[in-house]
Amino acid sequence: MLGFFKPRERLAVAFGPPAARVDVPHSDIEIDELFSGYLRAYESAWRAFPDALPLLRSLCASGHRIGLLTNGTEVQQMAKLRRTGLFDAFDVVCTSERSGFAKPEARAFAVFTSELGVEPAACLFVGDDPMKDADGARAAGM
């Protein structure tokens, strides 16, 4: 099982209507082949923005603790951070898979700030999803 979805469920989300008009196969072998191709393409596209690592290093040098809270799976997120060269820039990486709580749930942010060793009110949370990241962080007191 990858993440919280089985391959068939993940394919239905990724390729199902109204997305790419790809028929999801019915046999396990065809599903595995399609998902493997999707996963290879997805992983080959992992890139960090050129200014990401310098920014994270600058924040760290200024005395800030840096953490990552993600709804992604533990293995995949760690692989992504290693491949992009960002792994060592974080003091804490907290995945919903490991904590048992997903953004925007306040408990996900509570586990994260506890592991990071900061109070929520002293934390600035940056994300790309207005509901899961911004609303969730605000609801958690960030």
Side-chain angles (χ1 to χ4, degrees), residues 105-119:
E105 193 173 343
R107 290 181 290 183
F109 293 89
V111 170
F112 173 63
T113 55
S114 175
E115 289 183 10
L116 195 55
V118 299
E119 292 297 318

Side-chain angles (χ1 to χ4, degrees), residues 12-140:
V13 169
F15 297 122
R21 293 187 184 97
V22 174
D23 291 327
V24 178
H26 296 287
S27 80
D28 288 343
I29 292 171
E30 290 174 313
I31 289 172
D32 289 347
E33 289 172 359
L34 181 59
F35 190 76
S36 292
Y38 161 76
L39 194 56
R40 280 191 306 276
Y42 172 64
E43 290 173 353
S44 72
W46 290 344
R47 306 272 186 291
F49 288 105
D51 56 349
L53 188 56
L55 172 64
L56 294 171
R57 286 181 175 157
S58 173
L59 289 169
C60 185
S62 298
H64 298 284
R65 293 191 43 79
I66 309 295
L68 174 69
L69 175 61
T70 176
N71 285 351
T73 65
E74 186 88 8
V75 169
Q76 188 176 64
Q77 294 306 308
M78 297 304 184
K80 188 183 296 184
L81 290 171
R82 285 185 178 94
R83 177 178 256 171
T84 59
L86 298 176
F87 182 80
D88 291 330
F90 293 96
D91 297 302
V92 168
V93 176
C94 183
T95 64
S96 57
E97 179 182 52
R98 182 173 48 78
S99 75
F101 306 109
K103 299 180 295 181
E105 193 173 343
R107 290 181 290 183
F109 293 89
V111 170
F112 173 63
T113 55
S114 175
E115 289 183 10
L116 195 55
V118 299
E119 292 297 318
C123 187
L124 172 66
F125 194 88
V126 178
D128 63 354
D129 185 302
M131 187 185 85
K132 290 180 183 172
D133 295 322
D135 291 350
R138 274 191 213 100

